[in-house]
Amino acid sequence: MSELSVTVDTASAVPVYEQLRRQVSTLVATGALGAGDRLPAARALAADLGLALGTVQRAYRELETAGVVASRRRTGTVVTATAPPVEDDVRWAAEGFVERALQAGMDEEDVLDVVRGALARARSRAPLTASSRRAPAR
């Protein structure tokens, strides 16, 4: 079993369960956690991080729904053979960005302008690929 090394920032605008979900997804996607690796029991992880049990259980449920882990009575929560697609993490990051921007008082057009600017800067630094040649979505 690989060691699960996660941290949480309770002052962050990102909910703690989401911080845990993202970190575990990243550890799986990068290979730091592999198929069959067991995650700590939710109760033990909650105690280690000083969190409510329900917070860790929610993160584990979302990981299971995404197919990153599977929970079983006798074996606990284990990483599945399939790593989560990168697009899933990108979607979660985008949702977090949008939530934070709206909480900061930005309207939808301002949020879209920020994303368009980031895309323009990224395209100017990156070589043109087939996926970057698509027409912009409206």
Side-chain angles (χ1 to χ4, degrees):
M1 172 168 109
S2 296
E3 182 67 28
L4 181 64
S5 177
V6 294
T7 59
V8 295
D9 178 2
T10 56
S12 171
V14 178
V16 173
Y17 76 89
E18 176 60 12
Q19 293 177 47
L20 290 173
R21 188 207 62 78
R22 287 179 186 174
Q23 289 178 60
V24 171
S25 290
T26 299
L27 290 169
V28 172
T30 62
L33 287 174
D37 284 346
R38 287 181 45 194
L39 299 185
R43 189 174 311 278
L45 186 58
D48 288 348
L49 297 174
L51 301 173
L53 175 59
T55 300
V56 176
Q57 288 173 330
R58 180 168 180 185
Y60 279 17
R61 271 194 313 273
E62 295 208 5
L63 288 162
E64 187 165 19
T65 299
V68 177
V69 300
S71 296
R72 300 201 180 22
R73 283 201 189 271
R74 295 217 162 141
T75 58
T77 304
V78 297
V79 175
T80 60
T82 306
V86 172
E87 294 79 15
D88 198 36
D89 279 344
V90 171
R91 182 179 52 82
W92 281 96
E95 288 175 7
F97 164 75
V98 169
E99 287 175 23
R100 188 169 183 182
L102 294 175
Q103 287 172 354
M106 295 175 74
D107 65 27
E108 289 182 24
E109 273 308 308
D110 291 339
V111 172
L112 291 172
D113 287 343
V114 169
V115 172
R116 287 183 189 110
L119 280 169
R121 285 187 300 281
R123 284 186 181 131
S124 70
R125 293 188 303 264
L128 190 61
T129 63
S131 62
S132 66
R133 281 183 245 151
R134 285 185 266 173
R138 294 275 174 191

